[in-house]
Amino acid sequence: MTIRSRRETVTFKHPFRIRGIERVLPAGAYEVVTDEETIEGLTFSAYRRIATMITVPAETGRGTTEMLSIGSIDLANAQAEDASIVHD
């Protein structure tokens, strides 16, 4: 079984929450890592998502970060909520 990691940067324009993280995160750019494994036995290459993680500022601050496991749907919901916020 082969595992691959895909990295992307997502940007939030407003402070946001993601289910599973018990604090509000500040607006900014965040690295998201998605791990996927191959689906064996197919005649073509296909992958299944097995983990999604986001790098966030650590609660202690001081310039440190931590990588937290999140749901991909929870990330998509947070992005949609951020995009729907309208400022005067």
Side-chain angles (χ1 to χ4, degrees):
M1 189 169 302
T2 303
I3 295 178
R4 70 179 183 183
S5 293
R6 188 170 37 89
R7 296 176 183 276
E8 66 178 308
T9 300
V10 296
T11 302
F12 289 91
K13 295 180 181 177
H14 311 93
F16 66 102
R17 292 178 93 56
I18 293 181
R19 194 178 87 175
I21 300 177
E22 299 300 320
R23 64 185 186 270
V24 175
L25 298 169
Y30 290 82
E31 181 181 40
V32 174
V33 178
T34 303
D35 289 340
E36 301 169 320
E37 67 182 1
T38 55
I39 299 173
E40 302 285 328
L42 300 176
T43 59
F44 55 91
S45 295
Y47 291 84
R48 160 185 27 239
R49 181 180 14 249
I50 57 174
T52 303
M53 297 153 286
I54 188 168
T55 302
V56 300
E59 284 188 271
T60 58
R62 300 187 189 123
T64 59
T65 61
E66 58 185 331
M67 185 173 277
L68 302 174
S69 181
I70 59 170
S72 58
I73 293 173
D74 298 326
L75 175 61
N77 289 343
Q79 289 176 291
E81 187 174 322
D82 184 65
S84 72
I85 296 173
V86 178
H87 283 293
D88 297 331

